[in-house]
Amino acid sequence: MAVRNVDAGGKLKEEFLQKMPNARIDVMKIDLNSMDSVQKFASAYISRGLPPNILINNAGIIPVVKFTFSKDNIEQAFAVNNLGQFLLTDILLDTMKKTARESQIEG
């Protein structure tokens, strides 16, 4: 699980493991508000040699009142809702394709 809050992700992992004790769940930090964080996450993920079978980009923010910027000086909602997720997918795409070829299962 790629999460912004590792503590909350760890608690969710424990809940999953209570229901699926044989599951293997890794919790890794990512902040889609920072392209550097996305790149570091993707690099760490790939270096673990984990086969990504599926990628679900399920993160987003809704700008409430004021216009804010990401750590990369990009409008924050656009950075989190679009650019961070696109960058993550782009970096992991070749690894996902390799997994699909080797496993004969497309995500």
Side-chain angles (χ1 to χ4, degrees), residues 24-91:
R24 179 171 175 233
I25 302 171
D26 296 307
V27 177
M28 296 174 65
K29 182 173 179 60
I30 188 171
D31 181 359
L32 295 172
N33 192 41
S34 163
M35 300 307 114
D36 184 56
S37 175
V38 172
Q39 291 173 332
K40 285 179 181 176
F41 167 85
S43 177
Y45 184 91
I46 291 169
S47 72
R48 288 184 178 194
L50 301 171
N53 299 95
I54 191 167
L55 176 63
I56 299 171
N57 288 317
N58 184 33
I61 61 171
I62 300 172
V64 181
V65 176
K66 66 180 190 173
F67 188 85
T68 56
F69 290 94
S70 73
K71 294 176 182 174
D72 302 301
N73 207 28
I74 301 166
E75 192 276 321
Q76 190 170 33
F78 183 65
V80 173
N81 298 348
N82 298 285
L83 296 181
Q85 295 184 41
F86 179 84
L87 179 60
L88 178 62
T89 302
D90 186 53
I91 295 170

